[in-house]
Amino acid sequence: MTAKIIDGKEFAARVRGQVAEHVTRLKNDHGITPGLAVVLVGEDPASQVYVRSKGKMTVEVGMKSVEHKMDADTSETDLLKVIDDLNNDPDIHGILCQLPLPKHLDEDLIINSISPAKDVDGFHISNVGLLGTGQKSMVPCTPLGCLMMLRDHHGSISGMDAVVIGRSNIVGKPMAQLLLNDSATVTIAHSRTKDLADVVRRADIVVAAVGRPEMVPGDWIKEGATVIDVGINRLDAPEKGEGKTKLVGDVHYESCAARAGAITPVPGGVGPMTIACLLANTVTACCRANGLDEPEGLTA
Ligand code: GUN
């Protein structure tokens, strides 16, 4: 079987197009411009790249973008003050505090200081609880993007066997919850799982989110299964020239693509969907804050 490649770049562009249409409608019909604030503490190079990209795409879909860059030695009090001001700013509908935070800051405390209604990352304990009980919530962006691709490919995933490899709060756990809410039969596998190969071989849907390069080989994949690869790992690539690197996922692409029915590539799969879903969440938050109908197809 040759897998269909699920093109996340193209899908994300479509989602951003839908977001832009909603932004235009909010501006023209209601005089409202959705606003997203991103808080970056410190100089982590990867975080700086993400934040720049988020800001650029926020403006591209017609939303207001605000960036708060703070020194690595910012105190908890100062950071909480910035978040409090954003919580109370009526022009801001979404707030994201880029992770990881410097070690001296309590990540849980900071995340839970963001107003749940503006928590476009879906990390606040209220949103985690709402998602866990199948209620309307803000949904973490990467799992939301994976769900959109699965729904688009399968129509319905009800009754399918799904395995999520990885149990992080950002991806694994919310992903499992979303699959469960769509009536899949869900297994969460992790580093202590016994016979991981057997668990994965039973799955119609495999979501790999462990952060270990190419750890899932093709012979673990059931013929025709759908493989969603959340991993983004940088490896040395001497074959491309001295000092060159390449990005690989958590699955071994060639061998998995040879057995899967559909697969997301790395790069160009799940990655672009994350920011598209952040923008979608900001529009959703803006509509909810203003008592307006939510955009269809952009939420879980
Ligand atoms: N760092 C890596 N991924 C994420 C994310 O989805 N949200 C935030 N806030 N920080 C991150």
Side-chain angles (χ1 to χ4, degrees):
M1 172 161 250
T2 306
K4 171 188 154 48
I5 297 168
I6 300 177
D7 184 344
K9 217 169 140 185
E10 188 264 340
F11 201 130
R14 219 180 329 144
V15 171
R16 290 198 306 275
Q18 287 171 265
V19 170
E21 280 174 24
H22 286 289
V23 172
T24 302
R25 186 177 50 82
L26 282 163
K27 282 183 182 173
N28 292 347
D29 297 355
H30 304 281
I32 301 166
T33 302
L36 172 64
V38 174
V39 182
L40 173 63
V41 186
E43 269 109 44
D44 180 67
S47 292
Q48 285 177 325
V49 173
Y50 286 134
V51 167
R52 213 174 306 133
S53 187
K54 282 168 188 167
K56 182 168 162 276
M57 291 195 184
T58 305
V59 171
E60 272 173 15
V61 295
M63 301 200 295
K64 176 180 157 129
S65 169
V66 174
E67 276 177 27
H68 284 269
K69 293 195 172 147
M70 306 183 74
D71 292 340
D73 62 358
T74 295
S75 72
E76 211 155 76
T77 312
D78 287 349
L79 179 54
L80 288 170
K81 171 80 174 79
V82 165
I83 291 173
D84 189 48
D85 288 346
L86 293 169
N87 282 341
N88 291 306
D89 184 340
D91 292 340
I92 295 297
H93 305 93
I95 304 169
L96 176 147
C97 187
Q98 185 67 30
L99 304 178
L101 287 169
K103 291 278 172 286
H104 68 284
L105 298 169
D106 181 339
E107 216 157 81
D108 289 335
L109 179 83
I110 300 300
I111 287 169
N112 291 321
S113 73
I114 296 171
S115 161
K118 296 189 179 187
D119 167 37
V120 281
D121 259 328
F123 296 163
H124 190 288
I125 46 168
S126 296
N127 283 315
V128 175
L130 290 167
L131 180 66
T133 48
Q135 300 180 71
K136 197 190 266 190
S137 66
M138 295 307 304
V139 177
C141 304
T142 301
L144 178 58
C146 296
L147 181 75
M148 282 184 187
M149 292 195 284
L150 285 168
R151 282 180 177 169
D152 184 69
H153 180 68
H154 287 285
S156 166
I157 59 168
S158 175
M160 295 180 81
D161 282 317
V163 61
V164 179
I165 315 174
R167 53 176 157 178
S168 71
N169 291 337
I170 294 183
V171 183
K173 280 185 245 177
M175 185 75 246
Q177 197 62 62
L178 287 170
L179 293 165
L180 186 61
N181 290 355
D182 266 25
S183 302
T185 301
V186 185
T187 303
I188 306 177
H190 46 78
S191 55
R192 302 283 174 90
T193 297
K194 277 188 267 174
D195 301 324
L196 181 59
D198 285 348
V199 172
V200 175
R201 279 190 189 113
R202 286 196 292 272
D204 306 308
I205 294 170
V206 180
V207 181
V210 262
R212 283 182 55 192
E214 300 179 323
M215 76 156 286
V216 178
D219 72 348
W220 289 10
I221 301 298
K222 179 157 109 177
E223 196 72 33
T226 300
V227 177
I228 305 289
D229 192 350
V230 181
I232 302 176
N233 310 287
R234 192 168 285 283
L235 292 185
D236 290 335
E239 72 277 9
K240 288 167 69 179
E242 202 182 307
K244 296 282 184 196
T245 61
K246 62 176 177 181
L247 290 180
V248 300
D250 289 351
V251 313
H252 183 266
Y253 184 78
E254 284 77 17
S255 60
C256 290
R259 289 173 68 95
I263 188 166
T264 60
V266 177
V270 174
M273 288 299 286
T274 299
I275 296 183
C277 288
L278 172 70
L279 304 176
N281 277 350
T282 305
V283 167
T284 299
C286 179
C287 290
R288 287 180 187 169
N290 288 282
L292 300 168
D293 288 344
E294 289 174 24
E296 248 175 63
L298 295 182
T299 49

